[in-house]
Amino acid sequence: MVAHGIDLWGVDLAKVHVTRLDGAGRPLEGDVVHHLGVVGEEEIETQDGLRTLPAVRCALETSLQATDEVAQCLLDAGLRAKAFTKEELVAEYRRMNQWPFSHPLGAAVAHADPLSGSIAESRCLWLFRVGGLPRPLLQVPVHRADGSLVGVIDWAWPQFRLFGEFDGKVKYGKLLRPGQLPSEAVFEEKRREDEIREITDYGFVRVVWDDLDRPRQTLSRFESRMRVAS
């Protein structure tokens, strides 16, 4: 996955996993884990001088070694990076569906979405899914009356008149203009949120990294807003 330039989170990089083409080798040799698999010549690619399998196969095989949450983040990241399409992902999963232990990937494949804007957003989407919240719309634009864009919201539940966004330090770093202070970027983001509230009359829930360590409390914040809207 590293060779394909796909964002990684939660993937154990302590060992290198390779697929043997000759059927030889022990399962584990030092820091290298050997896998046996059927590989067609047309599947072998070269990335920065390394022989590798297609990104979609690498993503699915890596996901087989991971938790459901990590798999969701990885598949979203592959789609976001345009390393493969959703159609290619579904087709490859169907081809691999008879492999041992591949069935648990069905939910992650079905919910994989290129519109998930980051690892953090994918972790939140996974939390919404396993927590039983309705799936939100992703990357929803909000416009002023004159048609100009106020901003794009990470998640929207129109049925509950509710928006959600993930806030991280990287986000505010990206918002900085030359010479602008981080505090000024945060202030502008607050003004943007206030304008969006005025235009839409939607509620707003923001999530930060620490909230992902408190999944039940984080879900409750969304659930309480949804109950009020209902």
Side-chain angles (χ1 to χ4, degrees), residues 7 31 42 79 126 128 150 159 197:
D7 291 340
D31 293 331
E42 73 284 356
L79 292 173
W126 177 84
F128 301 155
V150 183
Q159 68 272 44
R197 288 178 188 272

Side-chain angles (χ1 to χ4, degrees), residues 172 175-188:
Y172 289 109
L175 291 174
L176 288 178
R177 298 189 301 273
Q180 187 180 34
L181 297 174
S183 59
E184 294 172 335
V186 172
F187 179 71
E188 286 191 5

